[in-house]
Amino acid sequence: MLAERITGLLPPLTPNEALEVTAIHSIAGTLSPKVPLMTVPTLIAPHHSASMASLIGGGVGMARPGAISLAHRGVLFLDEACEFGGSQLEALRTAVEEGEIRIARRDGVARYPARFQLVLATNPCPCAPIRDVDCKCSPYERRRYFSRLSGPLLDRIDIRTRMRPIHAMDNADLGPPESSATVRERVTKARVRAAERWAEHGWQTNAEVPGPALRRHFRLPAKAMRLLDRGLETGFVSARGADRCLRIAWTLADLAEKDRPDGDDVGAALEFRDRRAA
Ligand SMILES: [Zn+2]
């Protein structure tokens, strides 16, 4: 449900993005006659039994865009992510890193954009009981199941959280739920802040800012950087992970309407990467 809500929280596509997304769906033959121009981000949720061609792109004759390109500028949601094949997840990692996918054909290479928000959901083990205590898997089975999500792919997942079973009483003190529209307003504001800050450098979102620029030109207060250094020294985060933490910290600061992230934001970003949550 959370994954399905995310597209509703994202701002509408810019005219250029709308054209890109529409062109991809037009080539794939998935453009609805009722919506000739796609102006809002889409959610694409392929099943783990999907073929490589339908997930990544390909097929007979002209290489057609797959789910990862149909999700361009939107959300790609993989439920039961551990059930996907190793080569599929590997191709996915490449797309996440490069923002596009290249499909080799006999007479050339087809390139499609694939820049999406990736959401993965997985059970902690193959037997997937409602209560953790009912699990019948051995520690080896649990480890093996989870290791299907390779380290390099997991390293590119910025926010990890463990969902606990919902108990009736949990909702009692949360107050009325926020509507998607209210949250969307907050997201839009944060996006505008980021876009204004990076405009002179040609970036729009925190996700686009290269690591070296974050580390050298937009340094954070010493206290915040020390937290990150300690994470690197203890092996809690990789070098790539540290850059990704910085981007999350900037996003948290944008949501809180701060000029730049402080130690709390970096601390929260590190907590989101906690491997124990995974
Ligand atoms: Zn189990």
Side-chain angles (χ1 to χ4, degrees):
M1 192 190 87
L2 190 60
E4 282 166 17
R5 292 295 178 276
I6 292 180
T7 47
L9 305 183
L10 296 173
L13 303 175
T14 65
N16 276 343
E17 291 169 347
L19 287 174
E20 279 173 21
V21 175
T22 305
I24 296 169
H25 281 260
S26 171
I27 294 169
T30 51
L31 199 58
S32 155
K34 286 187 206 137
V35 190
L37 184 67
M38 303 183 63
T39 54
V40 289
T42 4
L43 171 82
I44 303 287
H47 189 256
H48 56 77
S49 65
S51 69
M52 192 74 169
S54 71
L55 186 68
I56 304 302
V60 182
M62 187 190 78
R64 303 229 295 205
I68 61 169
S69 293
L70 296 176
H72 183 56
R73 306 281 181 202
V75 175
L76 183 72
F77 174 46
L78 267 48
D79 198 7
E80 297 181 54
C82 287
E83 302 286 344
F84 279 78
S87 50
Q88 291 169 320
L89 293 173
E90 179 56 24
L92 190 67
R93 183 190 63 76
T94 313
V96 170
E97 193 64 2
E98 297 175 6
E100 65 168 27
I101 190 81
R102 288 182 293 278
I103 307 160
R105 313 304 281 179
R106 200 182 48 196
D107 43 3
V109 173
R111 286 171 53 197
Y112 289 116
R115 206 170 279 286
F116 46 79
Q117 300 245 18
L118 176 62
V119 181
L120 305 178
T122 179
N123 290 309
C125 70
C127 83
I130 292 176
R131 301 182 311 163
D132 271 357
V133 290
D134 297 332
C135 173
K136 293 184 177 62
C137 309
S138 68
Y140 171 73
E141 278 173 313
R142 288 174 71 99
R143 234 187 356 260
R144 195 166 147 250
Y145 185 72
F146 205 75
S147 68
R148 291 191 201 173
L149 294 179
S150 71
L153 178 62
L154 268 189
D155 204 28
R156 288 166 171 85
I157 304 292
D158 297 340
I159 298 178
R160 307 165 195 174
T161 182
R162 180 161 192 161
M163 310 304 282
R164 312 227 169 250
I166 294 173
H167 302 293
M169 294 309 291
D170 282 355
N171 294 325
D173 51 355
L174 284 179
E178 276 188 309
S179 71
S180 287
T182 315
V183 184
R184 182 165 59 236
E185 210 171 291
R186 224 162 42 227
V187 172
T188 306
K189 265 192 185 165
R191 286 263 185 144
V192 169
R193 279 181 89 85
E196 284 173 357
R197 176 175 60 246
W198 308 127
E200 58 177 305
H201 305 280
W203 309 309
Q204 274 207 317
T205 59
N206 297 332
E208 290 168 40
V209 184
L214 285 173
R215 275 176 266 127
R216 289 183 209 131
H217 307 303
F218 302 95
R219 280 188 72 81
L220 306 189
K223 190 183 152 210
M225 291 311 282
R226 265 202 303 278
L227 273 174
L228 217 49
D229 287 342
R230 200 177 313 145
L232 277 166
E233 279 161 21
T234 57
F236 183 79
V237 283
S238 64
R240 186 193 298 115
D243 284 351
R244 301 186 82 98
C245 271
L246 283 172
R247 297 192 186 99
I248 292 288
W250 276 102
T251 297
L252 292 171
D254 286 333
L255 282 166
E257 305 189 15
K258 293 186 218 166
D259 283 338
R260 61 178 186 163
D262 54 25
D264 288 348
D265 299 314
V266 172
L270 278 164
E271 216 158 283
F272 277 134
R273 289 190 82 78
D274 192 340
R275 283 167 214 271
R276 282 168 299 178

